[in-house]
Amino acid sequence: MGGLAIAGPSGLLAWSENLRLLDQREAQLAKLQAERHALENRVALLDPNAADPDMVGELLRSQLNVVHPNEVVIKLED
């Protein structure tokens, strides 16, 4: 019993590894929550009843390659 308490999968030797994995998962969770919040914000700006004109303009330009007549387009090579 004592051997499992020290060297087992949830014993004292595995404790630091578990803490390291917990820290990694918490950092990953925080990153995903921030990304989710940003996506929720973009979705809210595209509400059909009250769409944000700036967001609509951005999507038109990027998805349909549309510009205003007085704009100049400079294409960059990848």
Side-chain angles (χ1 to χ4, degrees), residues 18-32:
N18 289 338
L19 288 177
R20 186 184 62 78
L21 288 173
L22 179 62
D23 289 341
Q24 284 179 347
R25 296 291 167 19
E26 286 176 344
Q28 183 181 18
L29 179 62
K31 180 181 172 186
L32 289 173

Side-chain angles (χ1 to χ4, degrees), residues 4-23:
L4 285 176
I6 293 174
S10 60
L12 293 176
L13 297 177
W15 191 259
S16 63
E17 178 68 17
N18 289 338
L19 288 177
R20 186 184 62 78
L21 288 173
L22 179 62
D23 289 341

Side-chain angles (χ1 to χ4, degrees), residues 57-68 71 73 75:
E58 177 185 331
L59 286 175
L60 282 173
R61 285 173 168 70
S62 67
Q63 300 295 321
L64 300 177
N65 296 324
V66 180
V67 296
H68 289 289
E71 291 181 332
V73 177
K75 295 184 98 177

Side-chain angles (χ1 to χ4, degrees), residues 29-39:
L29 179 62
K31 180 181 172 186
L32 289 173
Q33 286 175 336
E35 185 178 332
R36 180 179 180 168
H37 178 69
L39 289 172

